[in-house]
Short mmCIF file of all heavy atoms in Angstrom, two decimals:
data_model
loop_
_atom_site.label_atom_id
_atom_site.label_comp_id
_atom_site.label_asym_id
_atom_site.label_seq_id
_atom_site.Cartn_x
_atom_site.Cartn_y
_atom_site.Cartn_z
N THR I 30 63.99 -5.95 12.96
CA THR I 30 64.12 -7.27 13.45
C THR I 30 63.21 -8.27 12.64
O THR I 30 63.57 -9.31 12.34
CB THR I 30 63.68 -7.28 14.96
OG1 THR I 30 64.45 -6.17 15.61
CG2 THR I 30 64.04 -8.60 15.61
N LEU I 101 62.41 -24.84 -12.07
CA LEU I 101 62.88 -23.51 -11.41
C LEU I 101 64.00 -22.89 -12.28
O LEU I 101 64.10 -21.67 -12.36
CB LEU I 101 63.48 -23.97 -9.99
CG LEU I 101 62.59 -24.42 -8.90
CD1 LEU I 101 63.28 -24.57 -7.64
CD2 LEU I 101 61.25 -23.60 -8.78
N ARG I 137 56.13 -13.62 15.34
CA ARG I 137 55.65 -14.86 14.92
C ARG I 137 54.66 -14.87 13.84
O ARG I 137 54.77 -15.59 12.84
CB ARG I 137 55.12 -15.67 16.14
CG ARG I 137 54.96 -17.13 15.76
CD ARG I 137 53.92 -17.87 16.58
NE ARG I 137 52.66 -18.10 15.79
CZ ARG I 137 52.58 -18.97 14.75
NH1 ARG I 137 53.58 -19.72 14.43
NH2 ARG I 137 51.46 -19.04 14.12
N MET I 167 54.90 -28.90 6.27
CA MET I 167 56.08 -28.23 5.74
C MET I 167 56.18 -26.89 6.54
O MET I 167 57.34 -26.52 6.91
CB MET I 167 56.05 -27.98 4.24
CG MET I 167 57.25 -27.17 3.73
SD MET I 167 58.82 -27.90 4.19
CE MET I 167 59.05 -29.21 3.02
N GLU I 196 73.80 -24.00 30.37
CA GLU I 196 74.31 -25.31 29.84
C GLU I 196 75.68 -24.93 29.42
O GLU I 196 76.67 -25.58 29.67
CB GLU I 196 73.46 -25.73 28.62
CG GLU I 196 73.49 -27.20 28.58
CD GLU I 196 72.45 -27.58 27.53
OE1 GLU I 196 71.29 -27.63 27.95
OE2 GLU I 196 72.88 -27.87 26.36
N ARG I 217 69.92 -11.45 15.63
CA ARG I 217 68.77 -10.96 14.95
C ARG I 217 68.32 -11.91 13.82
O ARG I 217 67.21 -11.83 13.36
CB ARG I 217 68.84 -9.47 14.62
CG ARG I 217 68.77 -8.57 15.82
CD ARG I 217 68.60 -7.13 15.30
NE ARG I 217 68.85 -6.18 16.19
CZ ARG I 217 68.07 -5.63 17.02
NH1 ARG I 217 66.77 -6.02 17.11
NH2 ARG I 217 68.50 -4.69 17.95
N ALA I 238 83.06 -15.41 29.18
CA ALA I 238 81.99 -16.04 28.54
C ALA I 238 81.32 -15.16 27.38
O ALA I 238 81.08 -15.70 26.34
CB ALA I 238 81.01 -16.49 29.51
N CYS I 268 81.56 -7.78 32.73
CA CYS I 268 82.72 -6.89 33.13
C CYS I 268 82.80 -5.83 32.06
O CYS I 268 82.17 -5.72 31.03
CB CYS I 268 84.06 -7.72 33.02
SG CYS I 268 84.69 -8.07 31.49
N HIS I 291 67.24 -17.15 39.95
CA HIS I 291 67.00 -15.82 39.87
C HIS I 291 67.31 -15.44 38.47
O HIS I 291 68.23 -15.96 37.84
CB HIS I 291 67.90 -14.97 40.75
CG HIS I 291 67.62 -15.35 42.26
ND1 HIS I 291 66.57 -15.20 42.95
CD2 HIS I 291 68.59 -15.91 43.09
CE1 HIS I 291 66.74 -15.64 44.20
NE2 HIS I 291 68.01 -16.13 44.29
N PRO I 302 76.58 3.54 30.14
CA PRO I 302 76.00 4.76 29.62
C PRO I 302 77.09 5.64 29.05
O PRO I 302 78.25 5.55 29.20
CB PRO I 302 75.53 5.50 31.00
CG PRO I 302 76.28 4.79 32.13
CD PRO I 302 76.66 3.28 31.60
#
Side-chain angles (χ1 to χ4, degrees):
T30 312
L101 293 189
R137 192 203 106 74
M167 180 49 81
E196 218 167 282
R217 287 190 197 270
C268 75
H291 307 288

